[in-house]
Amino acid sequence: MAFTFQPDPTLANFNSYCDVTFAKDFQDSRLNTTFLALPDSTIQRLLVWATRQLSQLEWQGSKTVIDQPQEWPRKYVFLKGGTSSSTDFDQYQFPWNSIPTFLKEATADLAGILAEDDVTEDSGVS
C-alpha cells in the first residue's frame, strides 16, 4: 500500500495533526537543524507516526464524526475557564472542525523526538 500524507481533517484519509510547513516552523523555532535537514517525505512519515501515538491518548470530549480516522477534531473540549453552564458556551470550546494549535505543536514536537529515537519502543519496565 502506497503511503499517502493527509493533514486535512475534513478528508476521510486524514492521518496527520499538522502539515510539514507547520512542523518545520516549529522545529526551526527550537533550532532543530537536524529535523530541518530531513527530506519532506521523512517528515511526513514522522508526523503520521506522531499523530498515531497522540491518538492513543484519552481525550476530553468526543469525536466530531464517530468513524473519523483520528481522535481529533473533537467536540465538547473546553478551554480553561469555560464550562457547559457558561453563557457563552461556544466561546469556551475548541473549534469542533479543526486541529487546535497545542495539538499541532505536540505533533511537531513528538515528530522531532521520533526522528532521533524511537521512544515508543517497549522499555520492558512495567
Side-chain angles (χ1 to χ4, degrees), residues 20-88:
V20 172
T21 302
F22 186 97
K24 283 183 170 182
D25 288 346
F26 180 85
Q27 292 296 340
D28 186 44
S29 74
R30 303 190 75 202
L31 305 176
N32 188 344
T33 55
T34 303
F35 185 88
L36 297 172
L38 295 171
D40 284 359
S41 60
T42 300
I43 292 173
Q44 290 173 350
R45 284 173 167 76
L46 288 166
L47 291 171
V48 169
W49 185 9
T51 297
R52 285 183 189 144
Q53 294 305 307
L54 291 168
S55 284
Q56 298 302 310
L57 300 174
E58 288 188 33
W59 296 98
Q60 185 181 49
S62 60
K63 288 182 173 185
T64 301
V65 178
I66 195 68
D67 62 347
Q68 70 191 41
Q70 304 304 326
E71 288 297 313
W72 284 82
R74 295 182 79 75
K75 297 188 272 188
Y76 315 119
V77 179
F78 296 100
L79 297 164
K80 184 176 181 180
T83 66
S84 60
S85 61
S86 299
T87 54
D88 298 320

